[in-house]
Structure formats: C-alpha cells, structure tokens
Amino acid sequence: MTDPVVHIAQLNLQYAGEVVLDQLDWQVFRGECWLIGGKSGSGKSALAKVVAGLEKGTGTVEINFIRHSSLPPRVLYVSNWYEFTNLEGDRNFYYQQRYNKHQKNDTLTVYAELAAYAQAEGLSFGDLEKYLDLFEFIDLKGTQLIELSSGEHKKLQLIKALWLQPQLLIVDEPYTGLDKASRKKLNGFFDDLAAVGVQLVLVTNEQDLPACINRFAEIDKGNIKQVDSVQALSVDASRNRKPLPLFLQEAPVSPAEVMVHMENIHVRYGDKVVLKGIDWTVRAGEKWLLQGHNGSGKSTLLSLITGDHPQAYANNIALFGQPRGSGESIWDIKERIGIISPELHWYFDKTARVWQAIASGFYDSIGLFRQVSYEKQQKINQLLDFFELTEVKDRLITTLPLGKQRLVLLARTIIKNPALLILDEPCQGLDHTQTAFFNAVVDELCGFGKTLIYVGHYETQLPNCLEKKMVLEKGEAKVIEEMNEVVC
Amino acid sequence: MANYFNTLPLREQLNQLGVAEFMDISEFADGVSALKGKKIVIVGCGAQGLNQGLNLRDSGLDVSYALRKEAIEQKRDSWKNATDNHFTVGTYEELIPTADLVSNLTPDKQHSSVIDAVMPLMKEGATLSYSHGFNIVEEGKEIRKDITVIMVAPKCPGSEVRAEYLRGFGVPTLIAVHPENDPQGKGLAEAKAYCVGTGGHKAGVLRSSFVAEVKSDLMGEQTILCGLLQTGSILSFDKMIEKGIDPGYASKLVQYGVEVITEALKQGGITAMMDRLSNIAKIKAFEVSEELKDIMRPLFQKHQDDIMSGEFSRTMMEDWANGDKQLLGWRAATGETAFEKTPAGDVKIGEQEYFDHAVFMVSYIKAGVELAFETMVEAGIKPESAYYESLHETPLIANTIARKKLFEMNRVISDTAEYGCYLFDHACKPLLADFMKTVDTDIIGRNFNEGKDLAVDNQTLIAVNEAIRTHPVEKVGAVLRKAMTAMKAIKTV
Ligand SMILES: NC(=O)c1ccc[n+]([C@@H]2O[C@H](COP(=O)([O-])OP(=O)(O)OC[C@H]3O[C@@H](n4cnc5c(N)ncnc54)[C@H](OP(=O)(O)O)[C@@H]3O)[C@@H](O)[C@H]2O)c1
C-alpha cells in the first residue's frame, strides 16, 4: 500500500484553553474523498485548517504529495468566509462600503485578481472560462472585489480552487451562499476534479454531495470517527423551546400602514444594471419572501430600504410613510428595522463580545458606545436565556460556532422589537437543525404583528409565516404572487 | 493679507490660543436642527468633502456640491464622486447663491482663490465653514462681515469619518467660531449641528478657536509628527543595515512596526506602549527617550516658535508661490532613501517582536510625542488640543507608513504637512548623528531581552513607571480616550 496522503497522529489542539482536538489520528489514502460533518462546534474547521497548515497543534501532521503528478503539490483550503484586501494591503473595509462610490480604485477587479493568481500559480486562462461561465462570472470580470456580494465572493474562491486543481483540496462549507443550480454544477466540477486525481475533503452537513465522496466522518470528543454514510452523521440536538420573552410578545408600534413603497426603482453601477423598474409595496404586518439568484440584486434592493444605499436618494422610495431624502436621518430609519445579512455578519466588529453585541442593537451601532439602562439590561438577559447564550455572554463572538454567532446577531436585531424585520439569508452556513430552530423563532416572533422580509434560497427550509413572494431576476421583479400554500 | 494672529494684541492672542473645552454629549441634544431644511453646499469633493457630505445627507440634511468649472467639464474624480452618489452638482454660480451654509473643503493651498471666487456669490447672512483654519489665521483672509465663519475639523482622514459614522459612531472633532465673523450669534449652534451631522459628537468634541486649531495642528500633525516618524524610520533602518541586519527584515520591522507600536499608544497612551516591553527593556527605553528629549528639545522649540511667529507659513507660502520647488525636490529625495527602496521582506514578525526588537523606536516615539505635547503646552496651547495634535494623530500617520512607507504617508497628508515633515526631518537627522553612533542592534533589530537576566531593581522600576504614568499627556489622554474607546483599530498588519 502506498503512503497515506494525509497522516495525522496524536494531534492535539486547543483554542483559548479549550480542548478542540484530542489525540486525533487520521489517515487519508489515495483515491479517497472525504466528507467531514457532524455537530457544530465539534472542531471540523479546526481540523481542516491544521491539514492546510493554517493552524498549529501538537503531534504529527504529514502530507505526502505524489511526486510525478501534473497536479500542483499543494493543499488548498477554501475557508468558510471570504477575505480580500485593497490595493494597499489593507483589510479595513466597513459595512456597506461597497455602496459608497469612490473614484480611488480601492480593490482589484475580478479580472486583475485572477490575472495575479494565474501568474503566481502558473495557470492558463484557457482553462478558466468554463468556471467563470458556470458561476456566471463572465459579466463580473471588470467588477471590483469590494462590489461583489457574499455569494459571489464564495464563488470566486471556488473558481480559483477549481482552476488550480491542487493535489489536496479542502473546502469548508462549499455550498454556503450558493443556490440550488450552482450547487449542482459545483458537484459536477468536484467529480471532474476527483477524476483527474484531486483528493477532496468537504466540510459540511449537506446531503446533496458529489458522487466521488466515498468516506464519511465526524469529530466526536476531539477525535475523528468514521461513519457509513452522510445520513449516519450526528446532528445537533433539537432545542428545547422556551417561551419568547414578554417584551417580544408585544406587537411593535407600527409607524405607518405602508412600511415600504417603491416606484420604478432603477440602480446601475456604470454599465451594470442592477435593478430595473422595480415596484414594490410592503404593508404593515405582511410577510414577504424575496428570492433570486446570486447577483440578482436582492442585497441592493434591501440596502435601499435599510438606508445604506446612496441611490435611495435618487429613487422614488417612501419608508414608513416618509419619502427618502425629506429630512429623515438613516438612524431614524434603522431604529425601526431589524436586519441580519451575511455582510453584516462579515463586517461585524471582530472584538465584540456577546453581551455588548446584543446591547448595541438598541442603538443600531456596530460596537457599544453607551451605558445601558437597567431595563435594557433585563431585556438582554432575557434574550440570552431564550437563546441559551447566557453561558457565553462574555465570549468574543468570533470564538463561537457559526450557528451561535448567527443567534447572537438575531438577538441583537430583535432586542429593540423592531416593526420591520429584514432577514437576508439569515441561515447561510447553518445546518438543518440550526436552520429549523432559527426559522421557528422567526415564525414565533412574527406572530406578534411584525412585518417581515425574508431572503432565502432553500426552497425547503423557510419560516412558515411567509405569505407573499417576490422573485428578482437580473434586476427585474419577475413574479409577485400570493404564496397560497404554506411552505414547509 | 496679513497673518491674522500677528494682528492681535498679546492678550487676545493668548485668549484665543487658550480655547479648549471638552464638550459634553448633552450639549448636542438639539441634533442637527440648526441646519435642518437649510441648504448646505460643499465646495470640493475630495477626501473630506465627499465623506462629510455623505454623512450630513444621511443625517437628514440637504447637501449639494459646487465644483470648479473644469472639474465638471472634464468629469474629474471630484465630479464622479458627487454624481455617482447622486448628489446635485453645479458650478459656483449655480449653487453658491442658494446656500445657507458653504463648506470649503478644497485643499488649504487653494483656499484664498476659492474664497475669492465664492464669497461674492454668497447670500447675505450665510455661513462659511472650514475644516482647517490656515486660510483665516495664517493667510489672514478677511470674510465679509455679514457672513458667519465656523470650523468643524474632524481629527481623522475622510475615509474614517465615513466608516465610523456608518458604525453608529464618529471621530473626534474640533469646532470653532471665528470671533471676527459671528454677526448673528448663530455660529456655535450651526457648528454643533454640522458636527452632529458628521457623527463627531459621539466621539468627543473639543470647543476650540481658529487660532488654537491652526497653531496646534501646524505644530503637531503638520510638522513634528510626520517628520518624527520619517526620521525615526530612516534612522532605524539605516542603523540596522549598517550593523548587518537583513534588509528585508529591517524594512518590515520599521514599516509595520510603527503601526503596531502606535496601536498600543492609541489604546492606552505612552503607558500602554511602554508596558508592552519587558521591565529591563522599559527601563532602557525610558533612559534612551530622556536622552533623545534633551537632544531634540531645541528643535521642537524652534518649530513651535516659527509657527507662532508665522515664519513657518511665510516660508512655506513662498514655496507655494515658487511652484513648490523645495517641496518637490524634497519629495524626490525621500523617494530615494534606502528605506523607501527596500521592500519589506517575506518574513514573519510576531506582534510582540515589533516591540522587543525595536526598543529604540519605542523610545523615539515616546520622546517625540511627549516633546510635541510639552512644547505646545508651553506655548500656551491647552493640553486637550495638544493631546489631539500629538498622541492622537501619531497612530493615524503611522498607519499610512504601514501601507506604503514614507511615500504613501507624504501622499496622504496635506502639502503643508509634507512640507513641515521634510523641514523637521532635515534638521533632526544631523542633530541625532552623534547619538546614533552609540546605538547598536540590541535596541534596534534584535531582541533586547535575549541572553539577559530579566531582573530589575524595584526602586528604579517604580521611579520609571511613575514618570511615565504621571506625564501630563497621560493624564489628559485618559479622559479624552474614554470618549473614543469605541473607535476601531485601523490595521494593516
Ligand atoms: N485629509 C484629512 O485628513 C483632513 C482632516 C481634517 C481636515 N482636513 C481639511 O479638509 C480640507 C480638504 O482636504 P482634503 O484632504 O479633503 O482635500 P482633497 O482630498 O485634496 O480634496 C480637495 C477637493 O477640492 C477640489 N479642488 C482642488 N483645487 C481646487 C481649486 N483650486 N478650486 C476648487 N476646487 C478645488 C478638488 O477637486 P477638483 O480638483 O476635481 O476640482 C477636490 O475635490 C482642507 O482644509 C484640509 O485641511 C483634511
């Protein structure tokens, strides 16, 4: 038998004093493609990072590349989150910066980024087109990195990985932010890679996997445990439902009968048309589902409502009965809206602790700059209890598993009991159980008179309360229909 | 035009120089109401112009941009900045006559000509706002008597002004009303409203005067601090090369080191920066910085004297008139320094290593910041103003060096600051030549603690800590920093 490609023995890893991996042994042999799944917070990503050399534990970690292979002897890790820098090597982007136009070229264009990558890795552009095409990236070549949506960033990372074809490719949550069609295509590509000898390790709990996956494992008490199939992976225990805190059982004061009124909305960036003649009215109490492919303009549309987009001033929009640009401040608007989005999560203060982060929701700020009154403190504590976060209230958000992080952001956004809730792919990156819990909370919250706009890809996993639907396609509102049956 | 400051009697000079009152957030309870429904026209759409405008509009105010004809015709960046963000843009003739408040956010060098063009078009009783008072104080520009003249000066680059606002916060800001131009007594209310519109009220506002702002800004940001970091970077780098340290390492240690070291300064003052060192290194750094302060004090005093007398701005304006001959020559020379030309090496330097391997840099920054503060206070500037213009600005400038070294710093800072920077640098290097001969790699390039017994004498350590912690810049800093603890770290490393 040949040497294992990955040989790990007696691996130990701790994060901030907590044992994550404990005497872990693992071998990956040639021809194997692995799926690592299981409970959130079990150490899946940590193991992936150790293999990629991004995290150092103690113990043996050996990677044996095949010497006479046409594939580059590399381990490539595609992380769960995206990262990019501006031309000055700076990572200080701020939330919603992409909507503020500056003439300074702050970041590379997609094309320049790919050209630099090709040069660094010795790749040929001829092989790239098909990936760009399948991820619908052809039109984005001239776009600056900062202008990409979160889903597009994930795709760009995947494009690079597929293009490079490293001997060992590890992808953490490969399907995050991808819609059904894209996921299917991606699986096809994974199979193609496996066919030419790339070994895959996918970290996810998804069930629709590429055919090449032939090993399944999860991490249990710090060690790896092989299982027979994806169905055999352990799932997070479903949570005990507690009653919603009383202050959230009160219907929020509705500022107006019509929450959002948009007429003939047009937004373009240079030559790229993002929104084309959208008309949309959201009345108090309505529950909307907003759907569309990556890059169809959903985030832009929502940013017009949340006061984050300068183009709101150039369009015919009224929020809570008041036309935009008639003397209201964005803080007057934000006060009435609770929002979660992948971007908010990404740009969220990396130094924030759970309790402070939730408290900052009272002021719509990223970071807590004020004293919090006793009454408000009580509300925070009730929500911590409701979400079972009390134990971690002093932890840095970034040290929590993704699912918990998202609950913190949900708590932050509902703490002020907002009239309008805008949830932009709130379950991106969450697994089935987490999503089900999250959506159940949304349903319950919305039972008390809130207005909801919910963005989601997953036709199967949506809150029950949704009753109307709008689909965006290439910037146009294609269908507006009553969702006449309950989707579940 | 005569230097405004020099036309004042001494009593009035001291009076205006001494204005510095830290304002309580409750003084901003009226929000933006003093400007609500009024027409704000910003002249210039650059770093400050665009970002202040975006904030003011998002605060519910009516903002448009007046640009010079050429900028509109040629669709320059300023025009694109404004139109892409859907502001109304027009010529001076189109927009200025409608304005209740004109905000002049063009480069300082252009202020006189811009005001000459704009002032005749301004309506009776309107307000003129600045973000830096050079034009009023040093050039002595006189503004029509019916016009109210105010200043709202954010103490951060324009991009930070926007980023902090969107987080629901702001950047520290100085506001002032020009005593010669407040005919209706509305100046302060409008300055406060403008400040709220940019978000500044949340991060700490200093009620200042045009004179105090200019004299302290010139001394701090515009001359000493940039010069200080330039000199320190070059001296540190050259010393390491002389002693055989790998150039790539030396380049990286300096380029990113200034940022890492001053980040500690930003968060907890000189005390926090010094506390990052081991006890023996701290004592060493203290001794070195005392020596450096003795050597550099006369130079700091000369700069301050030249700024107070107007000599500094006189020579600089001469160079403006001369087509920036000196400035351009100095800029070219800076581009030729070995530090500038050696790219940072591909070596990993841990965060703590930036302190342990650069005790000289720490000492030098401590010496420079304390001296700048002391010199300003001696000259009659209030400690609060002096703090913003010394300690507070240092990390912001260091961040630009981390991005692209000295060239980047000099590109980002104003021409005035660049001019002052070279002036200081050229005088400081020869002054330190003898001292630098005594410097070895233990304090720059290698780990100071290596191979040493880390034990210290209690009494010495207590005395050193006491001296660091009780310096006046630490006292005022503790109060002002509390107002802005929430500001995010700007980080490149
Ligand atoms: N940068 C800072 O960190 C900072 C901080 C606090 C205060 N300030 C103050 O803010 C003010 C503006 O500085 P800035 O850094 O924002 O400047 P900037 O980025 O250089 O922008 C200057 C703007 O003025 C326009 N302009 C240039 N020359 C002009 C002329 N002769 N007539 C009319 N318009 C002209 C430019 O547009 P066109 O060339 O396209 O016409 C540009 O839009 C200064 O008073 C400065 O001291 C700056």
Side-chain angles (χ1 to χ4, degrees), chain B residues 382-401:
Chain B
K382 282 277 146 70
E384 288 83 357
S385 307
Y387 174 84
Y388 281 125
E389 298 299 349
S390 58
L391 201 149
H392 169 77
E393 287 283 353
T394 308
L396 296 172
I397 299 168
N399 175 255
T400 63
I401 295 184

Side-chain angles (χ1 to χ4, degrees), chain B residues 6-276:
Chain B
N6 292 350
T7 64
L8 297 174
L10 178 66
R11 190 174 359 95
E12 189 54 22
Q13 285 185 337
L14 294 178
N15 220 351
Q16 294 197 23
L17 209 51
V19 183
E21 178 205 336
F22 191 66
M23 299 175 79
D24 191 79
I25 185 123
S26 64
E27 297 188 55
F28 295 90
D30 288 342
V32 295
S33 53
L35 290 175
K36 198 109 203 192
K38 302 228 166 121
K39 228 178 155 34
I40 298 175
V41 174
I42 300 179
V43 186
C45 192
Q48 289 294 330
L50 172 63
N51 291 300
Q52 288 186 23
L54 285 166
N55 290 2
L56 291 168
R57 178 172 67 178
D58 277 348
S59 296
L61 298 175
D62 176 358
V63 178
S64 47
Y65 286 87
L67 300 178
R68 49 178 166 176
K69 255 200 191 71
E70 309 91 276
I72 298 176
E73 277 161 13
Q74 297 165 15
K75 304 197 167 178
R76 289 200 191 141
D77 283 356
S78 56
W79 179 85
K80 288 194 200 132
N81 279 342
T83 41
D84 285 355
N85 288 297
H86 296 275
F87 287 102
T88 304
V89 182
T91 58
Y92 295 168
E93 288 74 17
E94 287 164 352
L95 293 179
I96 303 290
T98 67
D100 299 298
L101 183 147
V102 174
S103 182
N104 174 13
L105 294 173
T106 57
D108 299 311
K109 227 185 236 186
Q110 313 297 339
H111 282 186
S112 272
S113 69
V114 169
I115 297 298
D116 286 342
V118 163
M119 194 160 54
L121 298 168
M122 284 177 70
K123 76 177 173 199
E124 175 89 18
T127 298
L128 174 64
S129 167
Y130 287 88
S131 280
H132 179 42
F134 189 88
N135 184 234
I136 295 289
V137 177
E138 300 293 314
E139 297 190 273
K141 190 84 198 160
E142 288 181 29
I143 307 297
R144 230 171 57 203
K145 282 298 160 200
D146 60 293
I147 293 175
T148 303
V149 176
I150 62 172
M151 173 164 55
V152 179
K155 293 284 113 185
C156 274
S159 53
E160 291 296 299
V161 171
R162 181 65 177 156
E164 290 294 332
Y165 178 85
L166 285 179
R167 293 176 64 222
F169 198 53
V171 305
T173 302
L174 260 54
I175 64 172
V177 181
H178 189 35
E180 314 293 331
N181 284 82
D182 192 15
Q184 305 169 41
K186 66 177 180 178
L188 183 61
E190 292 194 349
K192 285 200 293 186
Y194 191 113
C195 183
V196 170
T198 59
H201 64 303
K202 293 180 181 163
V205 179
L206 201 59
R207 168 92 201 271
S208 182
S209 69
F210 273 70
V211 165
E213 189 271 341
V214 169
K215 296 296 182 187
S216 59
D217 196 54
L218 284 181
M219 178 64 184
E221 186 200 346
Q222 316 263 12
T223 59
I224 301 292
L225 298 178
C226 299
L228 192 77
L229 291 176
Q230 170 146 345
T231 308
S233 301
I234 293 174
L235 290 180
S236 300
F237 181 80
D238 288 351
K239 175 56 73 178
M240 285 189 269
I241 298 308
E242 175 201 322
K243 297 283 178 182
I245 305 257
D246 172 63
Y249 180 85
S251 173
K252 183 162 185 183
L253 187 70
V254 173
Q255 181 177 351
Y256 296 108
V258 288
E259 184 181 62
V260 174
I261 292 169
T262 55
E263 178 63 24
L265 190 69
K266 174 177 167 184
Q267 292 190 20
I270 307 263
T271 305
M273 176 177 78
M274 295 291 278
D275 282 350
R276 293 299 307 266

Side-chain angles (χ1 to χ4, degrees), chain A residues 251-289:
Chain A
V253 191
S254 247
E257 176 49 30
V258 175
M259 299 289 217
V260 179
H261 181 73
M262 297 184 154
E263 247 178 80
N264 197 21
I265 302 295
H266 286 268
V267 174
R268 53 159 63 216
Y269 304 138
D271 296 335
K272 187 177 157 196
V273 177
V274 184
L275 294 175
K276 241 189 317 213
I278 308 277
D279 296 313
W280 193 19
T281 302
V282 177
R283 288 170 208 288
E286 288 180 345
K287 321 279 187 249
W288 282 85
L289 172 65

